Amino acid sequence: MKITIQSPGEKTIKIAIPTRMLFNGLTAKLGFASIRKYVSTEELNLSSADLKRLVKEIRKTKNKYPHLELVNVESSDGSKIIIKL
Amino acid sequence: MSKSIGNRISQLRREKGITQEDMAERLGVTPQAVSKWENDISYPDILLLPKISKLLGVTVDELLSGESKKDTEFLPEGKRKNIDDMMFRIYVNSAAGDKVRVNLPMALVKMGLEMGMNMPQVSGNDALKEINFEQLIYMVESGLIGKLVEVESADGDTVEIVVE
């Protein structure tokens, strides 16, 4: 996954994180623990198995659509944030 | 008889109120070259097609085929793509000039919805709160593709949802 942050007049920041490192069983567990801590089950009823399934699907997506631009935000002042898988 | 690419360039250029000179300058070619394209004496270089289509506000496909892409299309059963091979795109343009583009494979969207996630959590836009995403998935499964949602809020923000 690549995150690019561009601001006019400032250096472009590029962060590359291996997708496997970001989305794996361990991060799914950690993510689940964080969600449980900050979000009530009424707001989001997510199980650990659901999160694992999501992680698996994200990895599948990465293989199917390498470098897919997930999010592209352009603000009126010229700042840009791009998140690529 | 269908129109030639030259006719289409000429027509679209006039509709946009651009002169041949302006167009030539923006494309980095001579006005004579533009005149030749429009009179079907020569064709634009293939590498110029994306620039020309952008300038004329159409897609390269529309420029070449002359068929404007329908906003929404219903596909019969035999022509439908597998929903897991489709892409769910959200375009948010705020009145202040901010633009947000979200591209998500349908498989992920479906899974997220099954898990009870809401799209405003993904896109961060409140205009999406009232949209029934399960209904949208049902529409896509029934063969409807293209621009499925176009919302303009009171403060001028626009939200479009396109499934391709």
Side-chain angles (χ1 to χ4, degrees):
Chain A
M1 179 173 271
K2 275 186 187 167
I3 303 169
T4 309
I5 304 164
Q6 291 176 340
S7 289
E10 285 185 41
K11 274 189 179 174
T12 301
I13 301 166
K14 285 185 181 177
I15 306 161
I17 310 159
T19 310
R20 280 252 166 196
M21 194 195 240
L22 202 60
F23 300 107
N24 55 46
L26 181 67
T27 53
K29 273 186 190 170
L30 291 172
F32 177 68
S34 307
I35 288 168
R36 274 295 139 269
K37 201 171 168 185
Y38 297 107
V39 184
S40 68
T41 44
E42 286 159 16
E43 280 180 77
L44 187 65
N45 191 11
L46 201 67
S47 70
S48 173
D50 283 340
L51 218 56
K52 271 186 186 169
R53 207 153 62 93
L54 193 64
V55 162
K56 208 175 159 186
E57 193 59 45
I58 290 171
R59 291 216 302 250
K60 232 163 83 179
T61 306
K62 161 83 179 163
N63 291 335
K64 199 170 176 182
Y65 307 100
H67 314 298
L68 171 71
E69 196 176 276
L70 288 173
V71 178
N72 184 327
V73 182
E74 268 182 64
S75 74
S76 50
D77 64 1
S79 305
K80 274 185 190 177
I81 299 172
I82 299 166
I83 303 174
K84 284 185 182 176
L85 197 60
Chain B
M1 210 172 117
S2 65
K3 277 184 179 178
S4 67
I5 182 170
N7 290 149
R8 278 194 292 278
I9 292 174
S10 173
Q11 189 192 336
L12 290 165
R13 179 181 62 72
R14 283 164 210 263
E15 281 171 11
K16 286 261 165 194
I18 306 168
T19 63
Q20 284 189 342
E21 286 75 20
D22 279 345
M23 189 171 173
E25 198 185 321
R26 290 197 224 176
L27 296 171
V29 295
T30 62
Q32 287 82 5
V34 177
S35 172
K36 282 183 180 176
W37 301 340
E38 293 187 0
N39 291 303
D40 295 319
I41 298 167
S42 67
Y43 292 103
D45 189 284
I46 195 164
L47 294 173
L48 275 177
L49 291 178
K51 264 187 173 181
I52 297 171
S53 53
K54 196 176 173 189
L55 185 68
L56 300 175
V58 292
T59 64
V60 175
D61 201 31
E62 285 171 65
L63 187 69
L64 293 174
S65 66
E67 286 172 14
S68 60
K69 205 174 173 187
K70 286 175 197 156
D71 273 354
T72 313
E73 208 176 339
F74 176 76
L75 296 176
E77 210 152 330
K79 287 188 176 177
R80 284 179 208 164
K81 270 204 289 187
N82 184 344
I83 194 162
D84 290 342
D85 296 330
M86 289 183 180
M87 198 63 80
F88 191 87
R89 302 184 198 278
I90 304 172
Y91 303 108
V92 181
N93 293 316
S94 81
D98 302 332
K99 290 176 185 173
V100 180
R101 307 275 176 271
V102 180
N103 300 311
L104 294 169
M106 277 303 269
L108 268 182
V109 176
K110 259 174 75 182
M111 188 172 285
L113 291 172
E114 276 167 26
M115 290 174 188
M117 290 180 179
N118 294 316
M119 276 301 143
Q121 291 167 341
V122 177
S123 71
N125 195 287
D126 284 346
L128 295 171
K129 267 184 187 163
E130 303 302 320
I131 296 167
N132 185 339
F133 284 89
E134 274 151 20
Q135 193 67 37
L136 279 183
I137 301 282
Y138 174 72
M139 281 157 72
V140 174
E141 280 173 340
S142 307
L144 209 61
I145 60 159
K147 196 195 284 179
L148 301 185
V149 174
E150 189 172 10
V151 187
E152 192 171 347
S153 68
D155 50 7
D157 296 351
T158 59
V159 178
E160 285 178 17
I161 295 177
V162 178
V163 174
E164 302 172 329

